[in-house]
Short mmCIF file of all heavy atoms in Angstrom, two decimals:
data_model
loop_
_atom_site.label_atom_id
_atom_site.label_comp_id
_atom_site.label_asym_id
_atom_site.label_seq_id
_atom_site.Cartn_x
_atom_site.Cartn_y
_atom_site.Cartn_z
N ILE A 7 117.47 -170.94 -23.10
CA ILE A 7 116.24 -170.18 -22.82
C ILE A 7 116.62 -168.70 -22.77
O ILE A 7 117.35 -168.27 -21.89
CB ILE A 7 115.61 -170.59 -21.47
CG1 ILE A 7 115.53 -172.12 -21.33
CG2 ILE A 7 114.24 -169.93 -21.31
CD1 ILE A 7 114.58 -172.79 -22.26
N VAL A 19 110.86 -170.78 -16.19
CA VAL A 19 110.73 -171.76 -17.29
C VAL A 19 111.89 -172.75 -17.25
O VAL A 19 111.68 -173.97 -17.37
CB VAL A 19 110.69 -171.04 -18.66
CG1 VAL A 19 110.80 -172.05 -19.80
CG2 VAL A 19 109.41 -170.22 -18.79
N VAL A 60 130.04 -172.10 -12.90
CA VAL A 60 130.15 -171.57 -14.25
C VAL A 60 131.39 -170.68 -14.38
O VAL A 60 132.02 -170.63 -15.44
CB VAL A 60 128.88 -170.78 -14.62
CG1 VAL A 60 129.10 -169.88 -15.83
CG2 VAL A 60 127.72 -171.74 -14.89
N LEU A 63 134.14 -172.57 -15.75
CA LEU A 63 134.00 -172.92 -17.16
C LEU A 63 134.43 -171.77 -18.07
O LEU A 63 134.92 -172.00 -19.18
CB LEU A 63 132.54 -173.29 -17.49
CG LEU A 63 132.00 -174.61 -16.97
CD1 LEU A 63 130.58 -174.81 -17.46
CD2 LEU A 63 132.87 -175.78 -17.42
N ASP A 65 136.39 -168.97 -17.08
CA ASP A 65 137.66 -168.34 -16.73
C ASP A 65 138.78 -168.97 -17.56
O ASP A 65 139.03 -170.17 -17.45
CB ASP A 65 137.93 -168.52 -15.23
CG ASP A 65 139.21 -167.84 -14.79
OD1 ASP A 65 139.84 -167.14 -15.61
OD2 ASP A 65 139.60 -168.02 -13.62
N PRO A 91 127.91 -164.66 -8.34
CA PRO A 91 127.93 -163.28 -8.84
C PRO A 91 129.27 -162.86 -9.45
O PRO A 91 129.31 -162.03 -10.37
CB PRO A 91 127.63 -162.46 -7.58
CG PRO A 91 126.83 -163.39 -6.72
CD PRO A 91 127.41 -164.76 -6.96
N LYS A 122 126.50 -187.10 -21.74
CA LYS A 122 126.06 -187.54 -20.41
C LYS A 122 124.57 -187.32 -20.15
O LYS A 122 123.99 -187.98 -19.28
CB LYS A 122 126.85 -186.80 -19.33
CG LYS A 122 128.36 -187.02 -19.37
CD LYS A 122 128.74 -188.39 -18.86
CE LYS A 122 130.26 -188.51 -18.77
NZ LYS A 122 130.67 -189.86 -18.31
N ASN A 133 119.17 -160.36 -21.34
CA ASN A 133 119.74 -159.42 -22.30
C ASN A 133 120.26 -160.21 -23.49
O ASN A 133 120.11 -161.42 -23.56
CB ASN A 133 120.85 -158.57 -21.65
CG ASN A 133 121.94 -159.44 -21.03
OD1 ASN A 133 122.47 -160.36 -21.65
ND2 ASN A 133 122.28 -159.14 -19.77
N GLY A 135 123.59 -160.03 -24.32
CA GLY A 135 124.99 -159.71 -24.10
C GLY A 135 125.94 -160.89 -24.26
O GLY A 135 125.61 -161.91 -24.87
N ILE A 149 114.57 -171.70 -26.97
CA ILE A 149 113.19 -171.42 -26.60
C ILE A 149 113.13 -169.98 -26.11
O ILE A 149 113.96 -169.55 -25.30
CB ILE A 149 112.68 -172.37 -25.50
CG1 ILE A 149 112.59 -173.80 -26.03
CG2 ILE A 149 111.32 -171.91 -24.97
CD1 ILE A 149 112.25 -174.83 -24.96
N ALA A 154 102.61 -163.20 -21.57
CA ALA A 154 101.41 -162.97 -22.39
C ALA A 154 100.78 -161.61 -22.15
O ALA A 154 100.16 -161.05 -23.04
CB ALA A 154 100.39 -164.07 -22.12
N LEU A 163 111.18 -160.29 -27.77
CA LEU A 163 111.07 -161.50 -28.59
C LEU A 163 111.68 -161.30 -29.97
O LEU A 163 112.47 -162.12 -30.46
CB LEU A 163 109.59 -161.85 -28.72
CG LEU A 163 109.16 -162.91 -29.70
CD1 LEU A 163 109.78 -164.23 -29.35
CD2 LEU A 163 107.65 -163.03 -29.70
N LYS A 171 119.07 -165.54 -35.82
CA LYS A 171 119.28 -165.51 -37.28
C LYS A 171 120.67 -165.03 -37.62
O LYS A 171 121.32 -165.55 -38.55
CB LYS A 171 118.22 -164.62 -37.93
CG LYS A 171 116.81 -165.20 -37.90
CD LYS A 171 115.81 -164.24 -38.55
CE LYS A 171 114.41 -164.82 -38.53
NZ LYS A 171 113.41 -163.87 -39.10
N LYS A 175 123.48 -167.13 -39.76
CA LYS A 175 124.07 -166.60 -41.00
C LYS A 175 125.58 -166.46 -40.91
O LYS A 175 126.28 -166.56 -41.91
CB LYS A 175 123.44 -165.25 -41.33
CG LYS A 175 121.97 -165.33 -41.73
CD LYS A 175 121.39 -163.94 -41.95
CE LYS A 175 119.91 -164.00 -42.30
NZ LYS A 175 119.32 -162.64 -42.44
N GLN A 207 100.40 -165.12 -32.24
CA GLN A 207 99.99 -166.19 -33.15
C GLN A 207 99.83 -165.68 -34.58
O GLN A 207 100.15 -166.40 -35.54
CB GLN A 207 98.70 -166.81 -32.64
CG GLN A 207 98.87 -167.62 -31.36
CD GLN A 207 97.56 -168.07 -30.76
OE1 GLN A 207 96.51 -167.46 -30.99
NE2 GLN A 207 97.59 -169.14 -29.97
N LYS A 228 104.14 -169.02 -4.81
CA LYS A 228 104.56 -169.73 -3.61
C LYS A 228 105.88 -170.46 -3.84
O LYS A 228 106.76 -170.46 -2.97
CB LYS A 228 103.47 -170.72 -3.19
CG LYS A 228 102.18 -170.07 -2.73
CD LYS A 228 101.13 -171.12 -2.40
CE LYS A 228 99.82 -170.47 -1.97
NZ LYS A 228 98.76 -171.50 -1.70
N ARG A 244 97.68 -176.27 -11.51
CA ARG A 244 97.53 -176.03 -12.95
C ARG A 244 98.89 -175.72 -13.58
O ARG A 244 99.16 -176.11 -14.72
CB ARG A 244 96.58 -174.86 -13.20
CG ARG A 244 95.13 -175.16 -12.90
CD ARG A 244 94.21 -174.07 -13.45
NE ARG A 244 94.59 -172.74 -12.99
CZ ARG A 244 94.80 -171.70 -13.78
NH1 ARG A 244 94.68 -171.82 -15.09
NH2 ARG A 244 95.11 -170.52 -13.28
#
Side-chain angles (χ1 to χ4, degrees):
I7 313 293
V19 170
V60 164
L63 288 183
D65 182 5
K122 300 286 187 181
N133 55 50
I149 293 174
L163 170 61
K171 290 179 179 177
K175 292 176 182 177
Q207 290 172 335
K228 294 177 181 177
R244 289 193 306 128

